[in-house]
Amino acid sequence: RRAETMATSFEAADLADTLWAFALMGKAPRRLFRPFLQRAEAISSSFAARDIQRTLWAIAAMGRAPGASLLNALELRAGAVLEELDCAGVSQLLWALPTLGRLGNTQEGYKRYRDSEDHGDSGQQILEALESRSMAKVKEFTPNDVSTTLRALALMRAVKPSPKLLQALLDHCLDLTDGFDAQDLA
């Protein structure tokens, strides 16, 4: 009970780092998960880009569903702070969103998502902003960043990624051929 009460006092970075740590351990904080998500929604306007990326990555990695209102709030906030994201943050956020059912991970899902009123225009805006940020940082991507970004784009079956981004990733892959390990290539 005390832990649930404490969750309401977490700041954005503490919340993001705690969820991230649980995800790395392969554990979902059962009694704390809902209070953490409620707190995240309540303070979403204070999230830095790293906090958004870590929170959404952790929720996706745990295989949990956060609910449309939290996703909308964090997508909206991400649009304001996206320039803060480093390469890993961009690729991980690109992976987390379709993994959480956003950005058209299926044709049917994309039609429902596009036509619903739940998200406003935040989904398309965040996708465009993430693609733009990826283009700006692509030459700095590590092999892992490239493979995570390509996996993310593959998850968005119903949304065609920018041909310029795909070409930039391909060109960068050619520059990095010695840097890829088996996991990056999988």
Side-chain angles (χ1 to χ4, degrees):
R1 200 62 157 139
R2 177 165 155 62
E4 292 174 32
T5 303
M6 281 183 54
T8 63
S9 66
F10 274 50
E11 296 301 322
D14 302 324
L15 187 63
D17 289 345
T18 302
L19 284 169
W20 178 78
F22 274 110
L24 285 179
M25 292 186 294
K27 307 259 185 221
R30 290 186 187 171
R31 288 190 336 211
L32 293 175
F33 195 72
R34 186 161 308 284
F36 279 165
L37 297 187
Q38 290 169 340
R39 178 66 178 160
E41 188 171 349
I43 63 170
S44 62
S45 64
S46 69
F47 272 57
R50 180 185 170 278
D51 304 330
I52 295 166
Q53 171 260 313
R54 281 190 165 210
T55 298
L56 293 179
W57 179 89
I59 294 168
M62 287 187 272
R64 303 297 296 262
S69 59
L70 174 59
L71 285 172
N72 293 340
L74 291 179
E75 283 177 356
L76 185 64
R77 178 68 182 149
V81 296
L82 199 60
E83 292 300 313
E84 299 170 15
L85 277 180
D86 62 9
C87 299
V90 170
S91 65
Q92 290 172 12
L93 188 53
L94 264 170
W95 173 82
L97 288 168
T99 302
L100 292 167
R102 303 299 263 207
L103 304 180
N105 61 338
T106 65
Q107 188 71 36
E108 182 66 26
Y110 180 68
K111 285 179 184 171
R112 262 195 324 273
Y113 175 71
R114 182 194 62 213
D115 296 340
S116 76
E117 297 298 320
D118 279 349
H119 63 84
D121 291 329
S122 62
Q124 187 62 34
Q125 289 171 353
I126 193 68
L127 176 59
E128 290 170 5
L130 283 166
E131 284 188 339
S132 175
R133 184 70 176 152
S134 295
M135 286 295 295
K137 303 290 276 181
V138 73
K139 289 294 185 188
E140 299 171 38
F141 275 26
T142 66
N144 185 263
D145 299 333
V146 171
S147 64
T148 300
T149 300
L150 289 171
R151 277 193 299 274
L153 296 173
L155 286 171
M156 292 183 248
R157 293 179 188 101
V159 178
K160 292 194 188 297
S162 158
K164 287 182 181 179
L165 176 57
L166 290 175
Q167 187 62 53
L169 288 166
L170 175 61
D171 292 344
H172 193 53
C173 281
L174 296 173
D175 294 339
L176 295 173
T177 53
D178 293 336
F180 285 93
D181 62 24
Q183 183 178 350
D184 296 328
L185 295 172

